[in-house]
Amino acid sequence: MIKSFLKGMVIGIANIIPGVSGGTMMVSMGIYDKLIHCITHLFSEFKKSVLFLFPIAVGMVVAIAASSFGLTYLFGNFPIQTNLLFVGLILGGLPAIWGKVKGKNIRIGHMIAGILFFVLVVGLAFVGETEGNAADISFSVVNVIKLFGVGIIASATMVIPGVSGSMVLMLMGFYHPVLNAIKDFFTALAAMDVNGILEGCGILVPFGLGVVAGIFGIAKLVEIIFEKFPLYAYWAIIGLIVSSPVAIWLMGTFPAFTVFNILTGVIALGVGFVIAMKLGE
């Protein structure tokens, strides 16, 4: 239970950082296949699915709430170390995925799948260097429908390994408005500010419903791909994992390198790698 909660926290933090893929973190920690299965069989295997999904979901919510306050500080003061921590978390899952294809015949199609998805993620990172204009998310019927649609798009990209949902939100101009709405909602909740809570619900409820709808929609498609073309899927994921550190580097803003930054960055990289391996056991 505690281990699943911690995995959920890592996924939640990853989903909120532009350039980092929550889906890749699911793969890195060895829960991607099972998580997709539990989502697509939620009603037919209700008790089993809920027991698996609930602590992960709680961990994600806690991490996203905390991250909306703390990420700005970490990336503002320790960008190299924080980014390298996530690079380590991502690369820590590579041995487990390599074990899925090791010893199997490698076809040209497998290599093409890996290369295509590597290029896709790096290309998105290049495009994502500039953010779209901040979207208007003030409460209105049009914006409620818009937020529901954005939630679907964001969740679909969050579930797909290697694609950063937060980066997609940034390109559409919804990243900072939604992140600020999350922060303001929990601030209002702590202060028991009823007006602030209701205002936050007007933004986060339609967005959240869109996220749930998107997750259920994309999960079934992913499950079919893993059932019909498992080796192609795993080679694509290898391409996604290898490309993720490149995407993080392209999306990040880094100060001048110093001996201290390099040493502590390498330590953070190692810590992330070990954490991912342990959580994936």
Side-chain angles (χ1 to χ4, degrees), residues 2-278:
I2 295 175
K3 200 171 184 180
S4 294
F5 174 81
L6 292 174
K7 290 178 180 180
M9 289 193 70
V10 172
I11 296 166
I13 294 171
N15 271 325
I16 212 168
I17 300 174
V20 182
S21 167
T24 301
M25 298 312 309
M26 297 174 198
V27 173
S28 295
M29 293 181 292
I31 62 171
Y32 189 76
D33 295 4
K34 189 173 181 180
L35 189 142
I36 293 295
H37 178 85
C38 287
I39 291 172
T40 55
H41 296 79
L42 179 62
F43 298 106
S44 60
E45 301 175 10
F46 186 75
K47 184 177 179 180
K48 177 184 174 182
S49 297
V50 169
L51 287 175
F52 179 76
L53 294 172
F54 181 73
I56 294 174
V58 172
M60 288 178 65
V61 171
V62 170
I64 289 172
S67 297
S68 64
F69 292 92
L71 274 179
T72 303
Y73 174 81
L74 287 175
F75 278 97
N77 293 277
F78 308 102
I80 293 174
Q81 295 87 339
T82 307
N83 278 286
L84 284 176
L85 174 66
F86 275 90
V87 169
L89 286 168
I90 292 168
L91 294 180
L94 193 56
I97 298 302
W98 181 251
K100 300 280 188 180
V101 300
K102 188 178 179 181
K104 306 284 178 66
N105 290 330
I106 302 174
R107 298 179 180 178
I108 295 177
H110 300 156
M111 301 302 295
I112 291 174
I115 293 169
L116 281 177
F117 279 86
F118 178 94
V119 172
L120 171 66
V121 174
V122 174
L124 283 173
F126 271 117
V127 174
E129 287 182 351
T130 56
E131 182 177 4
N133 293 327
D136 173 24
I137 58 172
S138 58
F139 184 76
S140 69
V141 175
V142 173
N143 283 345
V144 165
I145 296 171
K146 189 189 296 181
L147 283 165
F148 180 79
V150 169
I152 291 176
I153 295 170
S155 63
T157 53
M158 287 174 186
V159 171
I160 300 171
V163 182
S164 170
S166 53
M167 185 168 66
V168 172
L169 283 177
M170 183 172 280
L171 292 175
M172 294 189 296
F174 280 87
Y175 179 73
H176 286 294
V178 171
L179 188 63
N180 288 331
I182 293 171
K183 183 173 66 175
D184 293 343
F185 173 77
F186 281 102
T187 300
L189 195 63
M192 295 304 292
D193 176 4
V194 177
N195 289 332
I197 293 171
L198 291 175
E199 185 178 342
C201 287
I203 297 169
L204 299 179
V205 168
F207 179 77
L209 290 174
V211 167
V212 172
I215 287 174
F216 276 92
I218 197 69
K220 189 61 183 178
L221 176 61
V222 170
E223 184 181 46
I224 292 171
I225 292 172
F226 271 92
E227 287 178 356
K228 302 289 185 181
F229 313 102
L231 286 177
Y232 287 93
Y234 285 123
W235 275 105
I237 288 173
I238 288 173
L240 294 170
I241 290 176
V242 173
S243 64
S244 290
V246 180
I248 291 172
W249 196 260
L250 290 172
M251 291 290 293
T253 302
F254 303 99
F257 285 94
T258 64
V259 174
F260 173 78
N261 285 339
I262 293 172
L263 288 176
T264 53
V266 170
I267 292 171
L269 176 72
V271 169
F273 190 90
V274 172
I275 289 173
M277 290 192 69
K278 291 297 181 183

